[in-house]
Amino acid sequence: MGPEHVAYGMRASYGLPYVTEDLVVAWERELTSPNSNELTALAGVLWCSPSELLGKPRTLREHRIARGLAPEDVARTVGHELVAYLRMEENDDWQGTDRQCAALADVLGLTLPDFITVTGRDTTLGELLRSAVSTRWQAYVRPVGKLVALDRRLLEDVLQQLHQDYQGQMTATLSWGDAGSDTSAAGREFLDRIVERFWAKVGAATA
């Protein structure tokens, strides 16, 4: 199915007269992104679900679309005005009380890592974890716990393991001799993926 056929299907079957072959090509090349209605229509024409087109959802909007929910449905469920909710989607800036956060996680079926990402806490979590592995991890159990709401004993174990992994890797790299650039690269790679490493260890500990 070429882009001209996709565009025709979206015009004829979904009432989107402005969808042209060029617009479909722009979506394919990731020069622009379809909105919610366009994505639903595109999925229909291609005989698949919106979630299959999205891949792994990362943003609040992508999680909502992957679940096949209208913004009105999510806004009503979490207790936000529609305009306020749409602004949060547009700016990737979720704001809500603890009750609203719980409702959001429930309606979108979010895992804890997904929830942290969707609510924009990945950056803060990464900063805390980088400090924990490079200094005294014990000082970061409480602030990380406030952010991710995990059992304290579990957090202590995970932070200690991450700290040992990082320090062990840096020590091993230094033992190679005069390898300053290698040490820096290894350290940066570890710290760049610290959030991913954190959730992997949490998953392994709770499996």
Side-chain angles (χ1 to χ4, degrees), residues 89-158:
E89 272 199 3
E90 181 179 346
N91 298 325
D92 284 330
D93 182 28
W94 165 257
Q95 300 289 331
T97 64
D98 288 346
R99 185 196 64 78
Q100 289 172 321
C101 288
L104 180 74
D106 184 60
V107 71
L108 296 182
L110 300 174
T111 63
L112 182 54
D114 286 338
F115 176 76
I116 296 299
T117 298
V118 162
T119 55
R121 303 179 189 185
D122 261 351
T123 299
T124 302
L125 178 59
E127 291 171 352
L128 291 172
L129 293 174
R130 280 187 282 274
S131 295
V133 301
S134 58
T135 58
R136 291 183 65 256
W137 64 266
Q138 296 90 337
Y140 292 90
V141 174
R142 185 171 183 179
V144 172
K146 288 180 66 176
L147 197 66
V148 300
L150 289 171
D151 177 76
R152 183 181 178 89
R153 182 69 62 82
L154 171 64
L155 273 179
E156 289 175 346
D157 290 344
V158 168

Side-chain angles (χ1 to χ4, degrees), residues 38 53 66 69 74 76 78 98 112 121 123 133 148 150 173-174 180 183 195 201 205:
E38 292 164 349
L53 295 178
L69 297 170
V74 178
R76 182 173 57 254
V78 302
D98 288 346
L112 182 54
R121 303 179 189 185
T123 299
V133 301
V148 300
L150 289 171
T173 308
L174 285 171
T183 302
V195 174
K201 287 194 178 294

